[in-house]
Amino acid sequence: MRLLLVGANGQVGDALRRSLAPLGEVIATTRSGRLDDETSCEALDLGDLDAIASLVARVHPDVIVNAAAYTAVDRAEDEVEAAFRINALAPGRLAEAAVACGASLVHYSTDYVFDGRGSRPYRDDDTTDPLGVYGRSKLDGELAITASGARHLILRTAWVYGLHGHNFLRTMLRVGAERDELRVVADQHGCPTPAWLIADVTAAVLRKGIAESGIRHLVASGETTWHGFAEAIFDEASERGLIARRPTVIPIATSDYPTRAVRPAYSVLDTTRLRDEYAPELPDWRDALARTLA
């Protein structure tokens, strides 16, 4: 299998470089044309829409895996054009290029396509209603891929973290080592999901073959709040000797921590269809956290 991995330096992209390697030849792309270890790779800036088709045609992959995205949720409120270019227009161009060379496309989307007013886990066919620019741009990317006619799998995930890149886990470990007390939002509910799990499930899906084009939800099992996630991080980190002392984590309301973009209050995702089709191992989020820190 020949796989084109777009966004190989991101936290999911970095994990995908490992998980996709056993499937065949992985051609990685980054904006700079260099990986984090300074080795060279293909250069692709998704902001340059006209560069997408020519690179895909030259590489001629069997599968395109798009792990690149504009993920600055708050900044997107002011950088609307950039968010839509990367999250909506570029995935559409990748899908069109996939059709032209007969490739399949795997793309990642987000829980932010929902308004968070639900009270049960969101299914992949539930009505979408994004609250902000980031969510709208990701939803438009989903729609562009669907409209392209490409054979595709859109994997919606949430609360992504890992030991690579910028994410909640690394922020907590850094700030927790500096402070005795932290205030963390306790009224937003979701599914913390490590990058390695997303990458491993993606590889397992591709090994079996995409069963049916469409959207599937991919998150760890269970649910928690940001406060609950922070508490679990410090419990695990303390047990493993990763921090010298455990800070106190004080629960606060979203209204006590205003942000430029509105976050969904409840964005737990239902993974039933993914599990029915591919039978992936989706561990409880606490077990996934423990494995990540191990």
Side-chain angles (χ1 to χ4, degrees):
M1 195 182 297
R2 190 169 170 84
L3 304 107
L4 177 63
L5 172 58
V6 181
N9 274 347
Q11 59 180 333
V12 175
D14 181 73
L16 282 164
R17 282 160 54 196
R18 170 192 53 80
S19 67
L20 296 180
L23 301 184
E25 181 185 7
V26 179
I27 298 94
T29 82
T30 66
R31 288 196 333 184
S32 65
R34 289 201 167 273
L35 299 171
D36 285 338
D37 62 5
E38 290 303 314
T39 57
S40 62
C41 65
E42 293 282 352
L44 179 62
D45 180 353
L46 289 187
D48 182 2
L49 299 175
D50 294 334
I52 294 172
S54 58
L55 182 138
V56 172
R58 176 165 56 81
V59 173
H60 205 84
D62 300 299
V63 180
I64 301 169
V65 180
N66 180 30
Y70 182 108
T71 57
V73 175
D74 291 313
R75 200 163 68 235
E77 296 297 311
D78 300 306
E79 297 181 355
V80 178
E81 190 276 337
F84 274 87
R85 176 175 286 265
I86 301 299
N87 290 343
L89 299 179
R93 294 288 185 93
L94 282 170
E96 292 168 2
V99 172
C101 71
S104 300
L105 173 65
V106 176
H107 175 76
Y108 302 98
S109 192
T110 174
D111 56 326
Y112 278 59
V113 300
F114 297 112
D115 62 16
R117 297 186 177 95
S119 57
R120 54 138 178 93
Y122 283 98
R123 297 188 298 265
D124 33 36
D125 57 356
D126 277 333
T127 301
T128 53
D129 186 16
L131 298 175
V133 171
Y134 170 70
R136 292 200 302 273
S137 68
K138 292 295 288 182
L139 178 58
D140 275 14
E142 293 182 5
L143 296 172
I145 291 169
T146 302
S148 72
R151 183 166 187 78
H152 68 273
L153 184 64
I154 298 168
L155 295 170
R156 286 191 190 131
T157 190
W159 294 28
V160 181
Y161 70 91
L163 300 177
H164 179 86
H166 301 288
N167 57 72
F168 187 78
L169 170 65
R170 296 191 68 195
T171 298
M172 288 297 102
L173 291 176
R174 174 178 55 80
V175 177
E178 300 167 350
R179 304 178 191 173
D180 295 324
E181 184 178 285
L182 301 175
R183 292 157 54 85
V184 181
V185 170
D187 57 358
Q188 293 175 24
H189 298 256
C191 314
T193 305
W196 61 259
L197 178 61
I198 297 169
D200 286 357
V201 172
T202 299
V205 166
L206 290 176
R207 193 173 286 112
K208 291 184 177 182
I210 295 173
E212 179 184 357
S213 289
I215 297 167
R216 302 292 180 265
H217 288 169
L218 166 53
V219 288
S221 299
E223 64 181 82
T224 189
T225 64
W226 289 114
H227 176 267
F229 189 22
E231 290 274 39
I233 288 170
F234 293 128
D235 285 345
E236 287 287 340
S238 296
E239 186 178 317
R240 297 173 186 279
L242 300 177
I243 53 176
R245 49 172 173 63
R246 190 194 187 289
T248 299
V249 187
I250 298 173
I252 63 171
T254 297
S255 58
D256 295 325
Y257 187 73
T259 55
R260 181 77 176 85
V262 179
R263 268 73 171 167
Y266 182 90
S267 58
V268 179
L269 301 180
D270 184 325
T271 58
T272 299
R273 289 187 71 184
L274 183 77
R275 287 185 282 111
D276 286 348
E277 289 178 347
Y278 301 103
E281 180 188 353
L282 299 177
D284 181 84
W285 69 268
R286 296 171 192 82
D287 295 332
L289 171 63
R291 179 172 165 184
T292 302
L293 290 176

